[in-house]
Amino acid sequence: MTEVNIVNLIKNFSGMTRPAVDNISINIQNGELIALLGPSGCGKTTILKMITGLLTPDNGDILLDNQSILSVPTEKRNVVMVFQNYLLFPYMNVNENVGFSLKMKGDDPKVINKRVQEMLELVKLPDIGERRPKQLSGGQQQRVALARALIANPRLLLLDEPLSNLDAHLRDEMRELITSIQKKLGVTCMFVTHDQEEAVLLADKIALIFDGKLQNFAEPKEFYEKPINVSAAKFFGGVNFIELNKNTNYFDSSIGKIISNQKNVDELHSKCIATIRPENIKISRENIYQDNFFKGKIKSVIFSGTHTRYKIVINNLNLECSLQSLGIQNINKEDEVFVNLPKDKIWIMND
Amino acid sequence: MGGDKTKIILSITPPLLIIILLFYGGIFYGLVQSLGYQPAIGKYEINFDAYYNILFSERYAKLFWTGLALNLWVSFVSTFLAAVLALFAALAIRKTFFGKTVCNFIYSLNLPMPHLVVAVGIIFVFSQSGLLARMLAQLNIISSPGDFPVLVKDKYGVGIILAYIWKESAFFFIILMSVLQSLGENFEELAQSLGANRWQRFRYVILPLVMPSLFSASIIVFAFSFGAYEVPALLGVIYPQMLPVMAFEFFLNPDLNARSEGMALSIIIALIVMILVIIYFWLTQTRIRKD
C-alpha cells in the first residue's frame, strides 16, 4: 500500500518541439488503480519510465509515501513494470521467470519455490511451472508476467498497455483477473492505455493526457458526463457539440435557446460549447413544448443490434441519438421529429 | 509438376557440379593421397602408413602432438578473448553517444582487413624491434627494446593469438551489435525494475540472450583459426609448429613420399574441425528440442 505523488513532472527529448511530459501532477491514494489514458505518443510510457527510474525527469518530483524517489536507483525503488509485450525471459522456464526478482535479492531457493507456487496459483496457472515461454499462449504469458511482478511485493505496480496484445475474450478474463488481484493484494497500481473503454472498465481514476499535458484526472464517469473540453469529450466517444453564447439564465445557439442545470456556469466564458451523449437525447413525434425541444429531420437510421443510431439535422446542426432497439417507435429516414436535449444531461464547457 | 522438378534439377546442377568437382573432388584426391595412393611416383597400394607415421612414429608424433596442443591453445584462447573483447565493446558502443559512428567504424574496420596485413601489423607493433618496445624504451620503462618480452614468434603463440584477437573480435563485434540492437534494452530495463543490479543484468539477462549467437560465431572463428595457415606461418616459430604450417611444409617437401603425411595431416585437421561442427549442431539441436 503506497501513496504516490507526481509533482510538476517535466521531460524533454532532443529534437522534439514540445515537452514529452509537460508539468504533470497526479496524486494516487493507497491501493488505487489509475489509468494513464491518451493517444500514442502523448507521454504516457515516458511517465511510467520516469517513475521506474529508467528515465530522469528534467523537472518535478516523484514521491512514494511522501519520500522522493528520484535519487533512488531503479533496482532499489521496488516499483515494478509489466511491459506491453510481457518480456518473459525465453531461456528460463515459468518458475525461473516468476522467481527472478527473489533470486536477484538472494533469497533461499526453498522460499523462492514456495512463493513462485503461491503466485502461479494467484494468477490461476498452478501447473505450468516447468514450461518455457514459447509453450504458453498470449494470455498465459501475460499472467506469468503479472505473477513475476507481484512476487516482488512492489510498492507500486506499473502496467504498460496490459490488455492491448490480447484477443477480445482474453481481455475480459484478464481485466477481471487484474482488478481482483489488485484489490485482494491492495497494491497501488498504474497502467497505461490508449483505449478509453479499457481505462473505464479497469481504473478507479483516469488521468487523460494529450500532447504531454494532463487534461483531467477524475473518476471514469466524469469523463463521459462532464468532459473538461471538446478533445476530452471526443476521446470518450462524444459526437454532439453545439456552439453557445452565454446569456444570463440561458445560452443562445444556432438551434435556439438552450437551458442547463449545470452549477458552474459562472466559470464559463461568453462563448462555450455544449455536449450531450447520444444515448441521452430523446426523440418523439409530438411536440411536448418543454425546454430544449427542437424540431429536426432524420437523415439516417443505423441499426446496430441492441441500439439504433439516428442522425438528425436541426437547422443545419447535426446531432446523433442512440435509442434502445427494443420497443422503439417506428421512426424512419426523412421523418420529421422533435428532439429533446434534457437540461440535466447537457454539459457545457469552455474550449 | 514433373516439368517443375526438371527445371529445379537443371537449375541447381551447375553449382552442384562445381561444389562436387572442386570441393569434394579436392578432398577425395587429398584423401586417397593420404592413404598412400600416388600413381605419379608408382605407389598404388592403399594403406594407413601416413596416419600411423603422423600419430605414432618417433619421427613425427612429437611434432604432431605438440603442434596439436599449440593449435588448440591458440584457437581456444584467441576465440575466447576475441569474443569477450567484442562483447564488452558492443555493450559500450550500442548506446547512443557522441562519436558512436566513428567508434563503430574503427572497430568494424578490422573485418575487411586481410589476415596477412594484420600479421604484419602485429610484427610492427609487438615485436622486440616494434613500435611498442621502442616507445617503452624511449619512456625508460624498459632499458632497451631488447628487454621487451618476446610476443612475436614465441613458443606460446602470443603473437598469433594477438593477431586473431585483433582480427576476429571485429567479426564477433558485428554479430553482437546486430543481436543487441534487435533485442533492444527492454529485457534489461525489466530486470532492473525487478531488482537486478548491473552485474546481475549482465549475468542473467544479456549473457543468456547473446550466448546462442556468440556460440555460433565462436565455432566459426575457432574452426577458421584452427585451420588457417598465413598468420602462424608469419608469426609462429619452427618448434612447436601449428598443424596447418606443418601440413604445408610436408606438401612443399621435394620428397614426394612426404606428400602422403601432409595430406594425412590436412585430413586430421579437417576431421577435428568437422567433429567440432557436429558437436555444435548437436548442441543447438538439443537446445531447439528442449525449447
Side-chain angles (χ1 to χ4, degrees):
Chain A
M1 297 277 272
T2 308
E3 186 186 337
V4 182
N5 266 301
I6 295 168
V7 187
N8 304 121
L9 209 60
I10 296 175
K11 181 70 188 173
N12 289 286
F13 290 116
S14 59
M16 276 181 79
T17 49
R18 59 163 179 83
V21 174
D22 194 355
N23 205 26
I24 283 185
S25 297
I26 303 170
N27 170 256
I28 306 162
Q29 297 299 311
N30 284 336
E32 267 188 336
L33 178 57
I34 299 299
L36 290 182
L37 175 67
S40 296
C42 75
K44 309 177 297 269
T45 304
T46 306
I47 295 173
L48 285 202
K49 288 199 165 185
M50 284 192 280
I51 298 172
T52 53
L54 297 169
L55 286 173
T56 311
D58 295 330
N59 207 351
D61 204 351
I62 300 163
L63 301 108
L64 298 190
D65 291 333
N66 296 320
Q67 297 245 307
S68 174
I69 55 165
L70 289 188
S71 58
V72 181
T74 300
E75 56 267 33
K76 294 200 172 142
R77 287 190 186 190
N78 202 11
V79 172
V80 178
M81 185 158 161
V82 177
F83 284 70
Q84 186 178 357
N85 41 358
Y86 323 133
L87 294 178
L88 298 182
F89 300 118
Y91 46 89
M92 291 181 184
N93 65 21
V94 169
N95 283 335
E96 290 164 336
N97 262 289
V98 175
F100 184 83
S101 63
L102 300 187
K103 186 175 178 179
M104 296 305 105
K105 270 166 62 184
D107 281 3
D108 183 69
K110 280 181 190 164
V111 176
I112 296 177
N113 287 343
K114 189 170 167 277
R115 291 275 293 136
V116 166
Q117 201 49 42
E118 281 170 15
M119 284 300 127
L120 288 177
E121 276 164 22
L122 187 71
V123 296
K124 300 188 171 76
L125 292 173
D127 304 317
I128 60 153
E130 295 301 322
R131 288 199 209 161
R132 296 254 160 185
K134 271 185 189 169
Q135 296 170 298
L136 306 178
S137 67
Q140 287 174 323
Q141 288 187 34
Q142 172 73 301
R143 284 166 190 237
V144 172
L146 189 62
R148 180 176 60 183
L150 290 169
I151 202 169
N153 204 10
R155 297 178 77 189
L156 174 64
L157 177 66
L158 305 174
L159 306 161
D160 191 3
E161 303 270 4
L163 307 178
S164 62
N165 283 358
L166 300 176
D167 297 337
H169 70 284
L170 280 173
R171 282 181 175 214
D172 294 339
E173 214 175 279
M174 197 63 203
R175 191 185 295 132
E176 279 173 28
L177 186 77
I178 290 173
T179 41
S180 68
I181 290 175
Q182 192 265 336
K183 296 298 170 205
K184 186 175 173 182
L185 300 179
V187 59
T188 309
C189 181
M190 187 185 252
F191 74 97
V192 153
T193 182
H194 61 268
D195 182 344
Q196 46 94 6
E197 191 189 350
E198 194 174 305
V200 168
L201 287 168
L202 262 172
D204 298 322
K205 278 186 188 163
I206 297 171
L208 181 67
I209 299 165
F210 290 150
D211 297 332
K213 288 190 173 121
L214 181 69
Q215 303 294 308
N216 197 12
F217 180 54
E219 288 179 16
K221 201 176 170 191
E222 202 164 296
F223 285 89
Y224 276 94
E225 295 176 352
K226 298 171 183 174
I228 195 105
N229 54 35
V230 173
S231 305
K234 280 184 177 170
F235 200 80
F236 277 80
V239 285
N240 298 320
F241 300 99
I242 309 163
E243 289 179 12
L244 304 177
N245 285 311
K246 191 168 131 184
N247 264 312
T248 320
N249 295 320
Y250 64 93
F251 297 86
D252 277 324
S253 77
S254 62
I255 57 171
K257 193 165 85 173
I258 287 182
I259 294 170
S260 165
N261 280 355
Q262 198 165 318
K263 292 202 173 71
N264 65 338
V265 284
D266 295 344
E267 294 165 18
L268 296 170
H269 303 154
S270 59
K271 285 193 180 296
C272 43
I273 306 256
T275 186
I276 184 166
R277 296 205 65 85
E279 57 272 22
N280 289 332
I281 295 180
K282 292 175 182 165
I283 53 176
S284 68
R285 288 190 175 279
E286 292 158 19
N287 192 348
I288 308 169
Y289 299 103
Q290 281 181 352
D291 293 334
N292 298 347
F293 240 79
F294 308 99
K295 191 177 180 184
K297 197 175 198 179
I298 303 289
K299 298 304 288 180
S300 70
V301 181
I302 302 163
F303 175 74
S304 62
T306 56
H307 284 74
T308 301
R309 213 161 173 97
Y310 298 90
K311 284 193 175 170
I312 312 159
V313 62
I314 309 167
N315 197 19
N316 288 332
L317 177 78
N318 290 304
L319 292 178
E320 275 188 42
C321 162
S322 176
L323 299 178
Q324 277 198 333
S325 300
L326 195 67
I328 204 168
Q329 303 170 49
N330 189 21
I331 296 171
N332 300 307
K333 191 176 169 186
E334 300 299 328
D335 283 358
E336 290 205 333
V337 290
F338 290 93
V339 179
N340 177 219
L341 312 176
K343 55 188 177 186
D344 58 330
K345 300 289 183 191
I346 205 159
W347 177 255
I348 302 167
M349 59 208 162
N350 290 320
D351 201 50
Chain B
M1 285 295 283
D4 283 350
K5 268 188 184 171
T6 316
K7 261 188 198 171
I8 293 168
I9 290 167
L10 281 174
S11 60
I12 62 164
T13 301
L16 214 58
L17 276 176
I18 292 170
I19 292 168
I20 290 169
L21 283 175
L22 292 184
F23 183 66
Y24 290 106
I27 287 181
F28 179 75
Y29 191 57
L31 183 69
V32 293
Q33 281 197 1
S34 75
L35 295 170
Y37 183 79
Q38 287 196 73
I41 53 169
K43 290 172 81 174
Y44 296 97
E45 195 190 338
I46 300 289
N47 58 55
F48 289 93
D49 290 353
Y51 289 93
Y52 180 84
N53 287 341
I54 289 290
L55 297 172
F56 306 112
S57 76
E58 210 172 300
R59 191 174 171 198
Y60 297 130
K62 197 178 171 199
L63 284 175
F64 171 78
W65 292 109
T66 49
L68 180 63
L70 182 64
N71 246 51
L72 290 169
W73 158 255
V74 165
S75 296
F76 269 121
V77 172
S78 62
T79 303
F80 178 75
L81 292 180
V84 171
L85 192 70
L87 179 59
F88 284 106
L91 287 173
I93 292 176
R94 73 182 161 146
K95 297 202 173 169
T96 310
F97 64 95
F98 181 73
K100 176 183 173 170
T101 316
V102 177
C103 286
N104 214 336
F105 176 73
I106 290 170
Y107 210 90
S108 309
L109 196 64
N110 282 354
L111 198 64
M113 199 82 79
H115 278 83
L116 208 68
V117 174
V118 171
V120 172
I122 290 288
I123 295 172
F124 283 163
V125 178
F126 292 104
S127 69
Q128 282 183 313
S129 57
L131 210 62
L132 201 57
R134 285 167 197 272
M135 269 172 60
L136 292 175
Q138 280 288 320
L139 294 168
N140 287 328
I141 295 169
I142 51 176
S143 56
S144 75
D147 292 341
F148 191 73
V150 182
L151 297 179
V152 177
K153 289 191 179 289
D154 66 303
K155 62 179 180 173
Y156 298 109
V158 175
I160 305 168
I161 291 170
L162 285 172
Y164 283 140
I165 292 173
W166 185 346
K167 181 80 181 85
E168 310 311 344
S169 66
F171 174 68
F172 278 116
F173 175 77
I174 284 180
I175 286 176
L176 285 168
M177 280 297 273
S178 79
V179 173
L180 288 170
Q181 270 161 6
S182 69
L183 285 171
E185 290 181 41
N186 280 352
F187 274 114
E188 287 164 78
E189 290 178 347
L190 167 81
Q192 201 175 355
S193 96
L194 288 167
N197 60 31
R198 193 181 288 264
W199 160 248
Q200 287 171 323
R201 292 198 295 277
F202 175 75
R203 165 69 186 83
Y204 295 106
V205 180
I206 296 170
L207 213 50
L209 286 171
V210 300
M211 205 39 121
S213 312
L214 205 57
F215 191 58
S216 309
S218 297
I219 291 289
I220 295 167
V221 168
F222 185 91
F224 173 81
S225 59
F226 197 87
Y229 167 78
E230 68 267 52
V231 174
L234 268 173
L235 300 178
V237 285
I238 293 169
Y239 180 81
Q241 200 169 41
M242 281 180 71
L243 299 184
V245 182
M246 205 187 296
F248 196 63
E249 284 188 0
F250 273 122
F251 188 77
L252 292 180
N253 197 321
D255 176 8
L256 289 178
N257 286 306
R259 188 163 287 191
S260 290
E261 274 78 18
M263 287 305 163
L265 194 49
S266 301
I267 296 289
I268 290 168
I269 295 169
L271 274 175
I272 294 170
V273 171
M274 273 168 64
I275 289 167
L276 282 168
V277 172
I278 289 166
I279 292 171
Y280 162 69
F281 277 114
W282 178 73
L283 285 173
T284 47
Q285 286 305 311
T286 312
R287 187 192 188 91
I288 288 165
R289 273 197 299 274
K290 203 176 164 190
D291 285 345

